[in-house]
Every structure is written in C-alpha cells, then in structure tokens.
C-alpha cells in the first residue's frame, strides 16, 4: 500500500495516492516486505514533495491531437492545479484555448508562462497568435519578432510563425511580410536543402498533408488525389478518423511521416522516387517544407493550404487561378506559375439533412436585412470592423449578426461591441445566441437561416465557410486583397460563377453589399443559388483533377527537355 501510494502520487494521481496512503495507515506493516521497497518510494510524504509526470498532461496531449479541445483544456486545468508554474502545461492549455477560439484566455495563460520562461520562442509565438485573436496586431508583431529571433533551427516553430504572420493585417503587414521573407530565405539556403544527384524517372506523385483536425478541405483534396494512379501520401499527424481515412483511401500508398524533420522527409521522398511533390501543408507546428537541390530533384508544387501562404519554400510550380495569378507571378516569377480555371472544387452532399434545406429569405420576416459574418476571432481584424461598419452606414436599416459558434468569449464580445461603437453602429450588431441542448455545431448549422448576405473578412478571407455559405443559398461579398491569402474568398466566388460579388476596393464592396441587401429579387437568388453552385466548376472536382494532372505532366515534360 505504501508503494502504491507513492507511485500514484509521483505520477500526479493524488486522489488515488491519498486513498492508498490512508489504507496503509490502517494495515499492519509486514517487516519482511520492507527490504523489497525501493528507498525513494518508502515515504508517501516525500512523494508529495516530488510529484512527477501527471496523467493529466499526457491525456491533454492526446486529446489535443484528436481534436478534443474541451477535454484538452480540462486536463491541462487539472494538471496546472498540481504544477501551477509548469510551462509545458501552460503551452498545452493555450493551444487548446486557441483551438476553442478563446484568445483572451489563451493570452492570459501565455503571459503567465512567459514570467517563468521569457526566452521561450514557442511561448512568444503562441502569445502572438492569441493577441491577434484579440485584435492587438501591433503587440502580436512584437512577440512574433522575438519568436523569430529565438527560433534557431526549430523548423516547427518557424512553420507556426509563418502561419500567424500570414494573418497579419493593417499597418503591421509590411513588417510581417519582411519576417515571412526571411523565414523562407533561410529554408531555401543551400545548407538546408536536400541534395538529389540522380534524376528521378518514375511517375509517382507525392502529397504532403498535415491537417490535424477535421479539415473540410479534404472534400476538395480527396477527389483530385484519386486522379493520380501512382501516388504516395505523407501524413504528418497521428490522428485516424473518418476524414483522414477517406484521404488515405484515395492514394496508392499512405505513409506515416509523424515527427520527421524536413531534411529526413526530403530524403524519404527522394527514396520513394517521387517525381512531383504537392505540398498541402498549412503553416503549423507539424507542417514540413522540404527544399531540394540538384538537377534530379522532384518538382515541388504549391496548390492550396489553409490558411494559404503567398509563398511556400522551394516551390517549383505554383498552381494559380484568375484571382491569384498576378499575386503568384509577383511572388514566384512568371515562369513558375501555371494558370488553372479554378483552384478549388468540392464534392457536395447528395442527401440533405433537414437543416441543410434553403429556407425563405429572413429579410421578409424581420422587415430589415441582416448581414452575417463568421465569428472567427483571428479574422475579425480592425480593418474588417471598419469595412463592415461602413456597410451598415450605407444601409441604415440593416443589422449585422456575428455567428456560427456555439459560445462566445466575454472578452471577444466586449472588444467587438467597443470596436463597432467607435463607428456608431454597435446597437445594430448582435451575437448569435447559443442554442442550448441542440448538440455540437448547432449554431453553425442554424446561422445560414438567420442572415441574408454574408460579408467576407479582410485582409484574410474565408475559404471553406464561403463554399458552404454559397451552397446554403447565401450571397457572399468578398474584397480582392493584395496577397494570395487575401483572395481565397474571391477565388471561391469566381469558381462558383459569381464574380459580380467580388469587389476591387472598399467602395465596390460597400456598393455590392448594399445592392444585395435592397435587391427585391434576393429571395429568388437565394432559392436558385444552390443549383447554380452544383452546376459550376466549384462542384466539378473531376474536371479540376484532370486539369491539374495535365498541368503537372506538361511541367514535368518541360523540365526533362531543359536537362
């Protein structure tokens, strides 16, 4: 009993440790067993002073990998009650809170962590992400710079930084672009490249995929991957679920690449005789960007990431559409950019759930138009708030609903209402009320039925949300930004056959939004939009897959000719 009490206490299971300690007090000790007890486990009191690895921490890590963010947060809270100053526990807690879109709580957690370890680059990077979710972009940039200085050779941290820097807005964007350029230049430095001496003559296509959680992009990627008969999928996460298994089933050979650094993975790709590597990694801590050198190196292809980067290190071929082509040519050079008809195409549901039916126009029952925006804190930038407020000025009778979430962080609500109050429109801004007892994602399912027109964010637009909004019969207004990451919404609208909802400037955005809000035929547009989407290139992944395959073959043929 003494040994069990000490063991359970050492691993942080204090309740179990106390139980066995009490039981030991009630029992008569056996003198013959005493010599068998290791000295460091002979005292329950000593074990209390030296609590070791907690099962709460390991449970939190597992839950985070599985996408069980509420469970991860609860487990880290229990762990931090035992180890209130442990930096690793604080980092895990902050990651869970960020995934739950609670940036104010995550920022508070990381500030506390930095008091104990001020030179930890990861902590600065996570605090920056949280601050951006709180719309404090200038403060976030300071921590991103510190994280960049402290990153050293940590490619995982560099990848995470690239993702957050791509979301910077306003006056901070030029400095963020400078940091992104420095990150990519270091990755492409000769010393960090994988050398390939012998030319690869196979027809094997490699696909890098790092989406840890239930990524809706898989419904775009999977049907296109099926177009390649000879393909190998390099999976960067340990998660096995229905979505991931669908993608694994779409390729010839799935290969686990968890915990493999860029250089090692690059050598594995070369050993697999991959002639073209499509990098679908989003900038995250498990993303990888192997860079090759030598005449026989595989061709690295930049197609789509989420969030989309303006530049993937080492890309030889960049797939663009009419919306991104000018940005891509400025970034990569005209010779490396191939123009497609569209970048995204999805397989839409064949059987509809009741909540997926397109209902009557909400404007008709309320008597006024209701604009909608998705409550993704990282995209609710000061730039976006200013633009949305101007739309409300142009439509004095209209209101704005922030929705698509089952709960709201108090700090986010306070910030948003204060931000809109600066423009005098806060009384017409509402947060979607939680739907009690309706299950997970109930608010997201109900949101399209509550609004008339969706307003996209700036400078980073929505991607998969825009696709779902259009399919649900909702017009979406999007502003064409100066970067690739700012054109995800416009790319979707063009593929859907609705380029008239794309604005070149703020004045055009306001004009389009106001026209839709007052359009007497808006109800008919809403009813017919789904059929139009299903008949557009956005719903034809086979055509897009064929176009991508043909583009790859042409590029590979041109490379062989140049050798």
């Amino acid at each position: 009993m003494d040994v069990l009490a000490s063991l359970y206490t050492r691993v942080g299971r204090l309740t179990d440790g106390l139980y066995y300690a009490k039981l030991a007090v009630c029992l008569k000790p056996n003198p013959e067993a005493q010599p068998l007890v290791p000295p460091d486990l002979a005292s329950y009191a000593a074990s209390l002073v030296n609590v070791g690895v907690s099962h709460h921490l390991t449970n939190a890590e597992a839950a985070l990998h599985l996408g069980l963010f509420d469970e991860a947060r609860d487990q880290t809270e229990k762990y931090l009650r035992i180890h209130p100053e442990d930096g690793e526990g604080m980092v895990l807690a902050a990651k869970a809170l960020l995934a739950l879109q609670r940036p104010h709580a995550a920022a508070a957690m990381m500030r506390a962590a930095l008091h104990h370890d001020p030179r930890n680059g990861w902590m600065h990077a996570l605090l920056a992400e949280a601050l951006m979710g709180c719309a404090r972009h200038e403060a976030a940039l300071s921590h991103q710079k510190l994280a960049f200085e402290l990153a050293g050779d940590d490619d995982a941290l560099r990848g995470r930084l690239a993702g957050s820097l791509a979301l910077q807005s306003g006056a901070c964007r030029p400095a963020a672009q400078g940091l992104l350029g420095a990150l990519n230049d270091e990755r492409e430095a000769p010393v960090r490249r994988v050398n390939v001496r012998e030319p690869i003559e196979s027809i094997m296509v490699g696909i890098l995929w790092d989406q840890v959680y239930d990524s809706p992009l898989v419904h775009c990627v999977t049907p296109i991957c099926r177009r390649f008969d000879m393909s190998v999928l390099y999976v960067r996460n340990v998660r096995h679920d229905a979505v991931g298994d669908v993608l694994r089933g779409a390729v010839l050979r799935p290969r686990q690449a968890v915990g493999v650094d860029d250089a090692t993975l690059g050598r594995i790709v070369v050993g697999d005789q991959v002639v073209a590597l499509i990098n679908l990694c989003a900038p995250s801590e498990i993303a990888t960007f192997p860079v090759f050198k030598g005449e026989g190196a595989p061709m690295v292809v930049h197609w789509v990431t989420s969030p989309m980067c303006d530049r993937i290190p080492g890309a030889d071929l960049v797939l663009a559409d009419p919306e991104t082509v000018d940005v891509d040519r400025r970034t990569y050079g005209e010779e490396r950019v191939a123009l497609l008809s569209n970048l995204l195409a999805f397989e839409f549901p064949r059987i509809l759930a009741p909540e997926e039916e397109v209902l009557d126009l909400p404007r008709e029952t309320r008597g006024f138009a209701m604009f909608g925006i998705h409550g993704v804190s990282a995209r609710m930038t000061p730039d976006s708030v200013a633009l949305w407020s101007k739309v409300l000025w142009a439509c004095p009778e209209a209101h704005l609903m922030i929705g698509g979430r089952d709960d709201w962080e108090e700090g986010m609500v306070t910030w948003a209402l204060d931000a809109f109050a600066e423009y005098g429109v806060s009384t017409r801004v509402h947060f979607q009320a939680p739907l009690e007892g309706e299950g997970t994602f109930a608010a997201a399912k109900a949101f399209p039925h509550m609004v008339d027109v969706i307003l996209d964010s700036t400078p980073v637009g929505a991607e998969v949300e825009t696709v779902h909004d259009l399919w649900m019969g909702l017009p979406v207004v999007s502003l064409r930004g100066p970067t690739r990451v700012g054109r995800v919404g416009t790319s979707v609208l063009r593929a859907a056959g609705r380029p008239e909802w794309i604005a070149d400037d703020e004045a055009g955005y306001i004009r389009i939004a106001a026209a839709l809000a007052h359009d007497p035929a808006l109800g008919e547009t809403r009813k017919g939009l789904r059929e139009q989407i299903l008949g557009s290139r956005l719903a034809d992944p086979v055509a897009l897959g064929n176009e991508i395959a043909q583009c790859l073959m042409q590029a590979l043929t041109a490379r062989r000719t140049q050798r």
Side-chain angles (χ1 to χ4, degrees), residues 13 52 70 112 129 160 203 246 261 306 310 327 403 428 513:
R13 294 176 62 172
D70 286 306
E129 290 182 38
R160 187 94 183 198
I203 57 172
V246 166
D261 61 82
S306 182
D310 284 8
V327 172
R428 291 191 280 145

Side-chain angles (χ1 to χ4, degrees), residues 8-18 51 54-56 82:
Y8 277 123
T9 304
R10 288 291 183 87
V11 298
R13 294 176 62 172
L14 302 187
T15 303
D16 293 325
L18 180 60
V51 177
S54 169
H55 73 293
H56 295 304
I82 304 169

Side-chain angles (χ1 to χ4, degrees), residues 58 238 367 471 481 507 514 541 556:
T58 54
V238 297
W471 183 72
L556 289 169

Side-chain angles (χ1 to χ4, degrees), residues 340-412:
L340 303 177
S341 302
N342 52 296
L343 279 178
L344 300 173
F346 292 81
E347 286 183 340
F348 291 95
R350 299 179 184 274
I351 301 175
L352 300 181
E355 65 270 15
E356 293 173 332
E357 296 291 343
V358 177
L359 304 181
D360 292 334
L361 186 66
R363 184 184 67 183
E364 301 303 327
T365 56
R366 285 199 186 93
F368 58 84
M370 180 70 80
F371 292 108
I373 61 175
H374 291 280
V376 180
S377 57
R379 296 204 301 262
M380 292 179 63
T381 61
D383 302 11
S384 296
V385 170
L387 184 56
W388 296 331
S389 297
K390 292 174 184 177
V391 170
L392 291 178
W393 289 349
C395 305
E397 78 293 346
H399 288 237
L400 177 69
M401 179 178 288
I402 305 172
R405 289 177 52 178
D406 293 297
D407 58 64
W408 302 99
E409 191 178 33
E410 183 178 350
M412 176 184 176

Side-chain angles (χ1 to χ4, degrees), residues 89-135:
M90 292 180 182
V91 166
L92 272 178
K95 288 180 180 179
L97 289 166
L98 284 171
L100 290 168
Q101 295 194 43
R102 296 183 175 276
H104 290 80
M109 183 66 68
M110 294 318 302
R111 286 192 190 97
L114 279 168
H115 282 295
H116 302 289
D117 192 0
R119 292 193 58 78
N120 187 311
W122 272 102
M123 291 183 181
H124 284 287
L126 288 171
L127 177 55
E129 290 182 38
L131 290 171
M132 288 179 65
C134 301

Side-chain angles (χ1 to χ4, degrees), residues 436-510:
E436 300 293 338
E438 297 292 333
T440 308
F441 306 122
K445 294 174 183 176
F447 184 53
H449 303 304
M450 299 180 176
V451 297
D452 301 293
V453 178
I454 291 289
L455 301 179
D456 199 5
S457 52
T458 184
V460 179
E463 188 174 56
V464 178
E465 293 103 321
T466 300
V467 175
H468 183 259
D469 291 335
L470 293 171
W471 183 72
M472 287 298 297
L474 276 171
V476 180
V477 185
S478 189
L479 177 63
R480 184 180 285 118
T483 62
R484 180 167 178 140
V485 74
R487 299 194 179 189
V488 289
T490 63
S491 182
V492 168
L493 284 172
R494 182 171 291 277
R498 284 293 185 172
E500 70 272 19
W501 294 341
I502 299 172
D504 290 317
D505 50 33
E506 287 192 1
Y509 184 100
I510 297 165

